[in-house]
Amino acid sequence: TAAVPGRYRFHRAADRLDDIPDIEFDIAGYRIRPTFGTTAGELKTLKSTLVMAVSVAQVAGVAALGHFAVPTPRPVLYVVGEGGEIPFRRRLARIRDAYGISSGDLAHLAYTTDTAPLTDPGFRDSILDQLDQLERDSGTTGTVIVDPKYAVHPASVDARNLHDEGAMLRAV
């Protein structure tokens, strides 16, 4: 069969090695963009708290954990999949206070405690719509945090299949 024109692009290395973009960090030395990944660790090792602390720093433009610089403040859309709204807000307030910032510094952090599988078109569209709004309001691209991923993982996607996982995440 013939290749679809424009579908697969090949490049000559000699033409592409003199103009390599610099790495862009959300949080210097911690997270580059664009990317997606997982924060992993043993049970009860404060993964959710770590992710929230880094997200607050990203939105407010303060050094994450007092160490990792945030070159450009960026919005964060947070999907809270366990614990509920009250514990999330309490943790968020404690992190805000620890950074010494105001609630107004978090104007570009939006969250939901409503979840559905990422393959649900209404849920996926609401994430994309809210992210678009945050990006318009802030004037820069944002980050989506899903914590934990199992809260939105569809039964139809095999978690052991990295190709299926990647396609699911790219949809958002």
Side-chain angles (χ1 to χ4, degrees), residues 48-99:
S48 294
T49 303
L50 171 66
V51 170
M52 186 182 287
V54 169
S55 297
V56 167
Q58 178 180 326
V59 172
V62 298
L65 309 175
H67 178 75
F68 300 97
V70 174
T72 303
R74 294 184 184 280
V76 170
L77 177 59
Y78 218 103
V79 179
V80 181
E82 66 182 10
E85 182 172 3
I86 301 294
F88 176 81
R89 287 172 40 206
R90 284 184 179 141
R91 192 176 319 127
L92 187 60
R94 287 192 305 268
I95 292 169
R96 175 205 60 204
D97 295 346
Y99 279 126

Side-chain angles (χ1 to χ4, degrees), residues 23-126:
I23 292 175
E24 185 178 357
F25 284 95
D26 275 339
I27 294 117
Y30 182 84
R31 186 173 64 217
I32 63 170
R33 73 177 304 106
T35 191
F36 58 85
T38 301
T39 299
E42 295 289 327
L43 290 173
K44 302 302 174 191
T45 55
L46 302 175
K47 297 176 297 289
S48 294
T49 303
L50 171 66
V51 170
M52 186 182 287
V54 169
S55 297
V56 167
Q58 178 180 326
V59 172
V62 298
L65 309 175
H67 178 75
F68 300 97
V70 174
T72 303
R74 294 184 184 280
V76 170
L77 177 59
Y78 218 103
V79 179
V80 181
E82 66 182 10
E85 182 172 3
I86 301 294
F88 176 81
R89 287 172 40 206
R90 284 184 179 141
R91 192 176 319 127
L92 187 60
R94 287 192 305 268
I95 292 169
R96 175 205 60 204
D97 295 346
Y99 279 126
I101 60 176
S102 72
S103 296
D105 292 323
L106 300 178
H108 300 298
L109 190 155
Y111 70 92
T112 184
T113 56
D114 299 327
T115 62
L118 284 177
T119 52
D120 178 283
F123 183 57
R124 190 178 56 241
D125 289 348
S126 71

